[in-house]
Amino acid sequence: MALFSVAVVAAAAVTAAAQPSASIRYLVEFRGGTDIAVTISLPEPVGRPTQFVMPRAIPMGYGSHPYDRFVVGLTARDRDGRPIDLIDLEGPRWTIRSGPDRPLGTITYRVNLERMERMILSAGDASRVRPDFIGLLGYAIFGFVEGLQDHPIDLEVRVPPGWPIVTTLMPTVEATGATRARAANFYALADAQIMGGPGLAQRRVASGVPLLVASYSEGPLDLAALVSLADTALRQAAAWFGSTPFPHFTVSLEALRPVSPDHQYQFSMEHLESATFRYQAGQVDVSPAGRTRLHYNLLHHLAHAWIPKRCAPAGYYPFVWDYSAPIEMIWFSEGWAQYAAADMLALGTPDPAATRRRLTARRFEEAGADTLPPIGGLSTAALSAISAHQYSDDFRLAQTTFARGGLMADAIDRRIRERTGGRKNFRDVVHALLAWCATATTPVTVETLVTAARGATGVEVGDLIEQWLVPRGRSAPGRPRP
Ligand SMILES: [Zn+2]
């Protein structure tokens, strides 16, 4: 829940009266150097004070980054081009002193990408620019006018003439110099990525769900092997989930020379219709030994396009952009989705049951058994709430949270297989859950999971879920107050 100032409430009231179908126009321009320029043009001028917001939290990023600090030269203007006063607030917001005599028409700013990449140590969370490449994450460069988040958006991107340019909103379009796309709302725009430049390699596979593999590598990369693996993973995920809720999918991969020894290059990120993978140059391993790991990583992030992107517990929607909101069911979003990925991978092997067992042991059992304080002794909901803003800062928290969910999914799968004589399994539960999510207006709860399992398989799993939610391991001993 977010606290809104009086000015924001006023802006929301104005929005309610505005036409909800009118598109906001976002223009991104890159002409070389370290900055991009962004212009936001409103369809209807806002005649009251309002706020401009840059994200600090990333959907499913379980952490925060101060993207507002890389904004340079923020300017608000009325429709005649006259500047409107701005007040820089605490947090990633500015009050815009628009009014009936000076209604807000456009917002312009630049984003310093070089500074962003230098200051954000996790490579997957920063946008970047090179002499031959530009890679932009929507949430790192786009802000919104409070109250207008649900308006559709027309995006235009302009880059130097001759530069290939693509956005994950419209990856089937092969454009140079400029491209356009449409986003359903600010969330979809922020969730998308833009990539361009002569250094960008694009490979499209059109035989199934249209797939784009867009990569930029500062070292050797076996692109053909990567494309083949991504195509296989996409087909497996679509088959496993029994649906394709996206019209196309993009795998965006950057293999980079480290900016500094402190920068990290191992986190990947899921999106509505894409996934971004960041590696250190030369470390995308498609050898027989490394192939399984990369395959699992692809499946894992593909699975997220269903869970939780389209089937989420409380805390994911409506998304809070100012800070990482607490989420108590990351064990479901990560644990269940990862178990799904393990099952998909296992199904492609000669002995699926043995492979599933091996993957479960390797991925979940060790981490799920972390029984020492201060991580042991916590309930899984409490662990999840902490992980919601420190997932990548302390990976023990992440591992323990998703491992408990993964082991829970494994226990559910094994019980269902056993009690139905192998006729039903975990996948049937997920299918029932997705069918529920397709029309539900409320978040997934434990009760939703129990009901989905019962309805799809006739098997009761509430006790197994409960078993993996209660505090596990040893609590820290009580001590007298210092
Ligand atoms: Zn994940």
Side-chain angles (χ1 to χ4, degrees):
M1 184 169 306
L3 277 173
F4 295 121
S5 72
V6 173
V8 175
V9 174
V14 170
T15 309
Q19 284 187 2
S21 61
S23 297
I24 299 174
R25 186 163 174 265
Y26 279 68
L27 171 65
V28 179
E29 294 173 285
F30 174 67
R31 294 281 170 248
T34 59
D35 291 10
I36 51 161
V38 178
T39 304
I40 304 171
S41 306
L42 305 182
E44 300 286 336
V46 174
R48 304 251 176 117
T50 184
Q51 289 189 343
F52 178 69
V53 189
M54 279 301 289
R56 276 195 184 173
I58 296 167
M60 298 202 61
Y62 309 129
S64 60
H65 295 291
Y67 295 121
D68 52 297
R69 293 196 192 146
F70 312 118
V71 167
V72 183
L74 180 67
T75 308
R77 295 182 189 278
D78 67 12
R79 66 171 20 159
D80 298 323
R82 294 178 299 173
I84 303 172
D85 285 349
L86 290 165
I87 302 168
D88 194 347
L89 302 175
E90 294 294 329
R93 288 177 178 249
W94 290 261
T95 288
I96 301 172
R97 304 186 76 169
S98 36
D101 57 326
R102 192 151 288 195
L104 174 65
T106 60
I107 290 172
T108 56
Y109 58 92
R110 288 178 291 118
V111 179
N112 186 321
L113 301 175
E114 189 273 330
R115 190 158 170 263
M116 183 190 299
E117 186 180 16
R118 193 163 25 89
M119 292 188 65
I120 293 184
L121 299 180
S122 60
D125 295 327
S127 299
R128 59 184 46 79
V129 60
R130 299 285 185 272
D132 61 343
F133 176 71
I134 189 162
L136 307 173
L137 304 166
Y139 39 66
I141 61 162
F142 293 127
F144 63 89
V145 175
E146 179 58 63
L148 304 187
Q149 297 96 308
D150 292 331
H151 279 245
I153 287 165
D154 287 328
L155 170 68
E156 182 180 356
V157 187
R158 296 179 192 160
V159 289
W163 271 40
I165 182 75
V166 69
T167 157
T168 55
L169 292 165
M170 203 81 85
T172 47
V173 174
E174 294 187 47
T176 54
T179 193
R180 288 172 183 273
R182 197 168 163 79
N185 47 39
F186 179 75
Y187 185 97
L189 178 77
D191 175 80
Q193 304 97 55
I194 299 164
M195 296 149 284
L200 174 70
Q202 301 181 61
R203 298 286 184 278
R204 290 179 172 79
V205 183
S207 53
V209 178
L211 167 68
L212 166 68
V213 176
S215 71
Y216 172 75
S217 182
E218 296 177 334
L221 173 70
D222 186 343
L223 189 55
L226 175 67
V227 172
S228 163
L229 209 50
D231 182 38
T232 302
L234 179 56
R235 287 167 197 274
Q236 285 173 315
W240 196 92
F241 284 101
S243 63
T244 44
F246 35 76
H248 39 66
F249 199 86
T250 303
V251 168
S252 154
L253 183 141
E254 294 173 8
L256 304 154
R257 276 195 295 272
V259 171
S260 83
D262 295 324
H263 280 68
Q264 296 162 359
Y265 291 83
Q266 74 271 39
F267 273 98
S268 312
M269 182 59 75
E270 50 280 348
H271 302 278
L272 285 167
E273 48 201 16
S274 63
T276 50
F277 301 87
R278 302 293 178 260
Y279 286 89
Q280 199 165 314
Q283 293 191 348
V284 184
D285 187 359
V286 290
S287 71
R291 197 179 160 86
T292 304
R293 181 185 273 246
L294 180 59
H295 192 174
Y296 180 85
N297 200 19
L298 286 161
L299 289 170
H300 167 177
H301 291 90
L302 272 159
H304 280 318
W306 285 264
I307 297 174
K309 281 291 186 185
R310 288 172 175 88
C311 198
Y316 289 88
Y317 303 108
F319 188 72
V320 180
W321 298 100
D322 296 53
Y323 55 83
S324 325
I327 300 173
E328 294 196 343
M329 280 181 67
I330 294 179
W331 54 266
F332 163 72
S333 311
E334 290 294 333
W336 281 44
Q338 287 211 34
Y339 186 78
D343 193 33
M344 285 177 227
L345 196 60
L347 285 172
T349 64
D351 187 349
T355 311
R356 202 163 43 235
R357 187 91 286 283
R358 188 163 41 78
L359 290 170
T360 302
R362 194 167 62 200
R363 189 73 185 159
F364 306 131
E365 275 172 9
E366 203 173 311
D370 192 336
T371 55
L372 297 176
I375 290 180
L378 290 175
S379 75
T380 309
L383 254 180
S384 173
I386 299 167
S387 294
H389 58 96
Q390 295 186 58
Y391 200 85
S392 51
D393 292 338
D394 181 345
F395 200 59
R396 293 174 312 157
L397 288 163
Q399 274 185 312
T400 317
T401 308
F402 75 64
R404 289 190 191 180
L407 290 169
M408 174 200 295
D410 176 53
I412 291 171
D413 196 16
R414 283 189 285 120
R415 177 181 284 179
I416 292 173
R417 287 174 193 272
E418 186 192 306
R419 295 205 180 157
T420 63
R423 283 180 298 106
K424 302 277 184 186
N425 58 53
F426 175 74
R427 184 159 43 148
D428 296 295
V429 181
V430 172
H431 284 191
L433 192 61
L434 289 168
W436 182 85
C437 285
T439 56
T441 53
T442 55
V444 170
T445 63
V446 168
E447 189 51 40
T448 317
L449 304 179
V450 172
T451 307
R454 187 187 297 135
T457 70
V459 177
E460 292 298 327
V461 302
D463 61 309
L464 295 177
I465 294 177
E466 188 55 29
Q467 241 175 58
W468 283 100
L469 294 186
V470 295
R472 303 182 75 87
R474 188 151 47 83
S475 301
R479 286 200 185 87
R481 191 180 301 155

